[in-house]
Amino acid sequence: MVGLAIQKAEPYQGKVTAHLIVTCVIASIGGFIFGYVGIPGGLTLNEGIADLYEELVYSNEHYLDHYCRDGAGMDAGYLPPLYIPGIIASLIASPVTRKYGRRRSIIISGVCFGIGAALIAIVPQIVQYGPDQLGILVGRVIAGLGIGFGTQAIPLYLSEIAPAQFRGGFSFMFQLAIALGILIANIVNYVTRVPEERRWTDYKGITISFGMVAFLAFLMTVGVKFLPETPNSLIQRGSEDKGRHVLQKLRGTENVEAEVQDIVAAGQSASTVKRPFISIFWKRNRPQLVMAILMPMFQALAGINSLLYYASILLRNMGFGEKASFYSSLMIGAALVSSTLLSMGIVDRLGRRALLISGGILMIICQVIIAVILKGKLGDHQHLSKSLSILVMVLICISALAFGWSWGPLGWTIPSEIFPLEVRSAGQSITVAVNLLFTLLVADSFLPLLCPLRFGLFLFYAGCITASTVFVYLFLPETNGVPIEEMACVWTKHWFWKKIVPAQHGQTLP
């Protein structure tokens, strides 16, 4: 596969330009907002806006028994108003992204984020009816629409504007932005928290937190208006000359004809497909469809959010009190950011499979060791010693590091780069919908699973990661360095998928 990638990408010319970097940074602001408002462990778990959720843990001698017996947990009403509209919006975004361009969907995302955040920030200051007032709910729903449009369009945008030989690193900017959003959300909301006795009447924390989101959404919307549309989208919609000009500016060279011709050929094929959500089920698109479903599902089932929840419980038991959620989020958020930064520099050298498999193996080891420790010490209601608690926290952070260089970014990157142009927007919509659905299910199932399984919860996630690692080893071909419009070749060379996919690229029949 490495030889194939070099052969396909060799005629392409270009380098990393300042224009390309600035374009990717502005486009990735939507990922930051997604991490800030939409990922469990960001706004959903911080005491700074405690009026939007219940306390995660209680300080109690037998904390886990108390946790399960009394049903303590995060507010189950926070995520559904964000994620359910996000799932719907991701499907609506597909025809918008296809017909009007990736940039249009990103702008819609920015507008929705801005309106939703403004409602959440302003309404409590005007109408003091309590935390469940209609304005906040409507704000969440509108922000959820922003999540759907943004996560559908931004990964596609990054994959299409990046040079083939650096596509992995630039695509990772979306996950880096998400991780930074989670980290900054916890810092901002902890600093702006209010005392418990005033949390039902003092909305300063909400106003500052979501006011910041509204400001970022404004910058994102205005900034994206000055960004170019992707060459792939322009050429697909008949603007070949404009697409060539944009590609020359992004690549820093006028010698882009080889890449333009590949995009033109893909655009001609795309013009024959009128119903992408039907075409995506054709036999030749079968491998990509499988990846669009299983990659985001495995990403959610890696259990990173549950690690964050349990870290809060663990730190609470170690005596950190109300700071437990903040410190756990800070440590895991820092681990995600640092590992994503590291992987951005090596993904286009080592390849996607190497990062996924190595990250999976390390996560499995960490989860199993955590389960063994908890089984030995908590199975008979004993407390963890401080040294063992520290060890478990270190293992949780190592697991987060492994997730940050593997399934975190690659769960977004691989689906965004493997689909042919004619069904790419539909494939990304399916990826986003599956990701949001399973993230919601994992978040809401943490308490029901923790109470009966206890230490076994970590074995459950270790089993899920084992399945995902075996899947990658057997069924995911290497896509590193392969031009995005030549990706069909990786399936016809794979030991399994070549039995299913027609060998002739561009075939229009199912």
Side-chain angles (χ1 to χ4, degrees):
M1 279 302 164
V2 175
L4 175 65
I6 295 174
Q7 178 184 355
K8 289 292 183 180
E10 192 174 35
Y12 287 14
Q13 301 294 319
K15 57 185 178 181
V16 176
T17 63
H19 179 65
L20 175 65
I21 294 173
V22 172
T23 298
C24 289
V25 169
I26 295 175
S28 298
I29 294 176
F32 182 93
I33 298 175
F34 175 41
Y36 196 102
V37 304
I39 298 294
L43 288 185
T44 60
L45 284 182
N46 196 281
E47 288 87 359
I49 55 167
D51 50 343
L52 292 182
Y53 71 99
E54 299 174 24
E55 287 290 339
L56 178 64
V57 292
Y58 292 108
S59 180
N60 185 275
E61 182 179 1
H62 299 298
Y63 66 98
L64 194 54
D65 290 332
H66 185 87
Y67 181 83
C68 295
R69 184 180 63 249
D70 293 351
M74 64 174 291
D75 181 6
Y78 182 86
L79 288 182
L82 283 170
Y83 277 32
I84 293 175
I87 292 171
I88 296 172
S90 69
L91 301 176
I92 297 173
S94 175
V96 175
T97 304
R98 174 182 167 89
K99 294 179 181 179
Y100 303 104
R102 285 65 167 134
R103 197 170 64 100
R104 183 70 59 86
S105 288
I106 298 175
I107 291 173
I108 294 173
S109 172
V111 172
C112 291
F113 277 136
I115 295 174
L119 282 174
I120 297 174
I122 295 172
V123 166
Q125 300 293 343
I126 299 175
V127 185
Q128 300 288 331
Y129 286 151
D132 294 322
Q133 52 195 293
L134 182 61
I136 292 180
L137 179 61
V138 172
R140 294 188 203 174
V141 170
I142 296 176
L145 297 177
I147 289 174
F149 272 92
T151 53
Q152 197 275 344
I154 295 172
L156 283 186
Y157 187 89
L158 296 176
S159 288
E160 289 185 344
I161 68 172
Q165 64 270 33
F166 304 115
R167 190 175 59 245
F170 281 99
S171 296
F172 274 31
M173 292 181 71
F174 185 66
Q175 174 63 25
L176 176 63
I178 292 175
L180 283 170
I182 297 172
L183 182 62
I184 298 301
N186 282 282
I187 295 174
V188 170
N189 293 311
Y190 184 78
V191 170
T192 59
R193 73 195 188 282
V194 296
E196 183 174 356
E197 63 272 10
R198 300 208 324 265
R199 64 180 45 169
W200 299 102
T201 57
D202 189 339
Y203 295 93
K204 179 183 69 174
I206 294 180
T207 301
I208 295 175
S209 297
F210 284 93
M212 177 179 172
V213 173
F215 176 71
L216 287 173
F218 172 78
L219 291 181
M220 169 185 167
T221 305
V222 173
V224 171
K225 285 183 177 293
F226 293 96
L227 298 185
E229 183 54 81
T230 70
N232 311 66
S233 179
L234 289 168
I235 293 174
Q236 178 188 5
R237 293 181 288 133
S239 300
E240 182 177 336
D241 290 340
K242 191 173 182 180
R244 180 182 285 103
H245 174 73
V246 169
L247 194 60
Q248 289 172 344
K249 193 171 182 181
L250 289 170
R251 300 292 181 262
T253 177
E254 294 185 357
N255 188 14
V256 295
E257 198 58 33
E259 190 169 357
V260 168
Q261 291 308 311
D262 282 344
I263 299 175
V264 169
Q268 292 173 347
S269 177
S271 65
T272 65
V273 175
K274 305 302 181 184
R275 295 177 293 179
F277 274 107
I278 293 178
S279 303
I280 203 171
F281 289 95
W282 287 359
K283 194 173 183 179
R284 65 181 175 140
N285 295 320
R286 193 72 47 77
Q288 297 96 318
L289 180 61
V290 170
M291 298 300 163
I293 295 172
L294 292 186
M295 290 296 292
M297 183 187 76
F298 284 137
Q299 183 192 51
L301 290 176
I304 187 66
N305 295 321
S306 293
L307 288 179
L308 182 63
Y309 302 155
Y310 193 85
S312 297
I313 299 174
L314 190 65
L315 289 179
R316 191 85 172 196
N317 189 57
M318 290 167 62
F320 283 91
E322 68 171 15
K323 297 181 180 180
S325 177
F326 169 68
Y327 284 135
S328 63
S329 299
L330 192 64
M331 286 186 290
I332 294 178
L336 289 173
V337 170
S338 59
S339 60
T340 305
L341 279 170
L342 171 65
S343 62
M344 287 176 67
I346 62 176
V347 61
D348 292 308
R349 298 179 183 179
L350 299 181
R352 280 67 161 151
R353 283 168 49 87
L355 293 186
L356 285 170
I357 293 173
S358 62
I361 291 173
L362 188 54
M363 284 191 287
I364 292 168
I365 293 172
C366 290
Q367 300 262 17
V368 170
I369 295 176
I370 292 172
V372 170
I373 293 174
L374 296 182
K375 168 60 177 175
K377 291 297 181 180
L378 296 182
D380 54 359
H381 305 294
Q382 296 181 45
H383 285 291
L384 288 178
S385 64
K386 188 172 182 178
S387 59
L388 280 179
S389 296
I390 293 173
L391 174 60
V392 171
M393 280 304 306
V394 169
L395 291 169
I396 288 176
C397 289
I398 293 174
S399 188
L401 280 169
F403 179 84
W405 82 58
S406 58
W407 282 96
L410 287 169
W412 295 107
T413 297
I414 290 175
S416 71
E417 67 182 6
I418 60 176
F419 278 95
L421 186 58
E422 60 265 27
V423 294
R424 191 170 296 152
S425 60
Q428 183 64 16
S429 291
I430 292 173
T431 297
V432 172
V434 173
N435 180 285
L436 296 180
L437 175 62
F438 274 88
T439 301
L440 179 61
L441 292 176
V442 168
D444 285 347
S445 66
F446 172 70
L447 180 59
L449 286 176
L450 176 62
C451 293
L453 296 180
R454 305 208 175 203
F455 71 89
L457 180 63
F458 292 94
L459 294 179
F460 170 78
Y461 287 119
C464 292
I465 300 168
T466 300
S468 66
T469 304
V470 171
F471 171 80
V472 167
Y473 180 79
L474 293 177
F475 299 110
L476 179 67
E478 183 57 71
T479 59
N480 182 37
V482 181
I484 194 168
E485 302 303 351
E486 293 291 335
M487 198 63 69
C489 64
V490 303
W491 311 109
T492 59
K493 300 293 183 180
H494 188 266
W495 73 272
F496 178 79
W497 298 116
K498 68 181 181 181
K499 304 173 186 177
I500 299 174
V501 180
Q504 183 179 355
H505 179 43
Q507 182 176 331
T508 58
L509 294 176

